[in-house]
Each structure stands twice: as C-alpha cells, then as structure tokens.
Amino acid sequence: ATGSTTTPGAPAAALPPAATSTPAQICSKTIAVPSEKYPNLQSGFDAACAGDVIKVAAGSYFAGLNLTARHSNITVTGAGMDETVLQGTGSWALALNGVKNFTLKNITIERGGNRSIDGGGVWIAKSENITIENCRMRLNTANQGGALAIQSSTVNVSRCLFDRNTAFNSAGAIIVREGSVAAFTNVTVAYNSALGCHGGGFFIASDARATV
C-alpha cells in the first residue's frame, strides 16, 4: 500500500503553531481631549498616528509638547480661537521638528517661551507643509520670534492674530529664516515688541522667502 503509516503507540505528529499577527494601529480616527481615554494633551498626541484628528475641547491647557516625524499627517483643532487655549510651561507651547503635513487650527497659544529660545509660542524646524489657521498667539516671549519661529521649513499661516508678543532680540512676533518658505494670508500682527534690533512684528531673513 502506498501512503503514510503510523506505528501503533507512537505519539501523533505535533501540529504547527497557529499563525499570529499584531493588530495594525488604527488611524484616521478622532481623538477627543480631554476624555476618559485621553485625559490630557500628551496622551492624545502619544496615541495619534497618520490621518488622525485631535479635537481639543474649550478650556485652558498646559502644553510644552515636542512633536517629531511620528506626528506627521495629523490635524489638531480646538473649539475656536480664544476658546481652546494652550499655554507654555517655561519653554515652547509647541515645537515641531521634522514634521510633515501637520495642521493646527482654532486655537490660542499664549505665555510660551523664555528669553533664551526662539519661537516662544511655536517653533518649527526642518518641517514641511505645516498649516496654521484661525489661531491666535499672544503674550509669548523669546530671544527671536516672540510668537513663532520658522526655520528650514514650509509653512502656511492664514486668518491668524499675533498680538502682545515680545522678543528680547529681533522679530517681536514672527521670524522666518534658514531657507524657509512661508505664506501669510489675512494675518494681523499688532502690539508686538522687539527689544533688541530688527522687526517689531516680522523679521524675514535674507536666506528665506515669505509672502504677506
């Protein structure tokens, strides 16, 4: 006879282990902050992946968030300018380094920074396609760019208000430098101060391009 044979009393051949897999991370979801699952900003950003929307409810929150490439392709939206407020904690309220395709909207950023850093409210470096819309940045302080510093990045800013920010050197509100390309549309810059030399409102370095 042909085929396999089994010796009486011999143990049955072991079955191969069942295939296992790690569940894929679910993206393109909405993360509500605060909520039972995401009680604070940090937990929301830690859980976010490409395609997600982080919705921050009305209220005031301490920020001090450092965002990197893993936070690319994310939208962060508040309940409205002056409704959702992110406050600095002695440094930047938001720092973006190596981030792509990131949108921040409907949020106020205030009281960020210190005199030894640039971009007291938001610092953006080596990032691409960053959008800031319907936001307010006020009462931030920095060495340069009291509210916003853009370096080696592409950024679009629209329908925003920059007021009462202070730079201890130059660019009371906004500095654009190091090959950056930035566009500002329907932006109001008012009551900002540069205590050092250049630009109470804007300072655009010679190696950067900006349309206002």
Side-chain angles (χ1 to χ4, degrees):
T2 60
S4 61
T5 59
T6 303
T7 303
L15 295 173
T20 60
S21 62
T22 301
Q25 190 173 13
I26 299 174
C27 294
S28 298
K29 60 185 179 293
T30 298
I31 296 173
V33 176
S35 62
E36 182 176 355
K37 191 171 184 180
Y38 309 109
N40 52 47
L41 287 172
Q42 189 66 63
S43 62
F45 278 92
D46 287 346
C49 55
D52 285 352
V53 176
I54 301 175
K55 299 186 76 169
V56 187
S60 184
Y61 307 85
F62 290 110
L65 298 170
N66 293 304
L67 309 184
T68 60
R70 68 169 296 273
H71 297 103
S72 296
N73 302 293
I74 288 173
T75 295
V76 181
T77 182
M81 185 191 298
D82 296 328
E83 297 293 327
T84 299
V85 179
L86 307 188
Q87 296 190 40
T89 56
S91 188
W92 307 287
L94 287 178
L96 286 71
N97 192 354
V99 180
K100 297 181 180 180
N101 307 317
F102 180 93
T103 297
L104 177 73
K105 60 183 181 180
N106 305 325
I107 281 173
T108 288
I109 292 178
E110 66 178 29
R111 304 182 190 281
N114 61 64
R115 64 187 306 159
S116 65
I117 65 171
D118 296 338
V122 178
W123 177 72
I124 302 172
K126 300 178 182 177
S127 298
E128 299 177 18
N129 195 28
I130 307 302
T131 299
I132 302 172
E133 61 182 52
N134 197 41
C135 288
R136 183 179 188 183
M137 299 189 195
R138 65 179 181 185
L139 303 173
N140 300 286
T141 59
N143 176 48
Q144 298 185 88
L148 173 63
I150 301 169
Q151 57 190 67
S152 305
S153 300
T154 56
V155 179
N156 292 287
V157 182
S158 62
R159 302 191 307 278
C160 290
L161 170 62
F162 296 82
D163 64 310
R164 296 175 174 83
N165 301 286
T166 302
F168 288 91
N169 190 343
S170 58
I174 302 162
I175 187 168
V176 183
R177 63 186 181 189
E178 295 181 20
S180 295
V181 178
F184 298 89
T185 306
N186 296 327
V187 168
T188 300
V189 179
Y191 307 112
N192 302 282
S193 301
L195 305 182
C197 46
H198 306 296
F202 278 93
F203 179 75
I204 313 299
S206 59
D207 61 354
R209 291 188 292 129
T211 56
V212 180

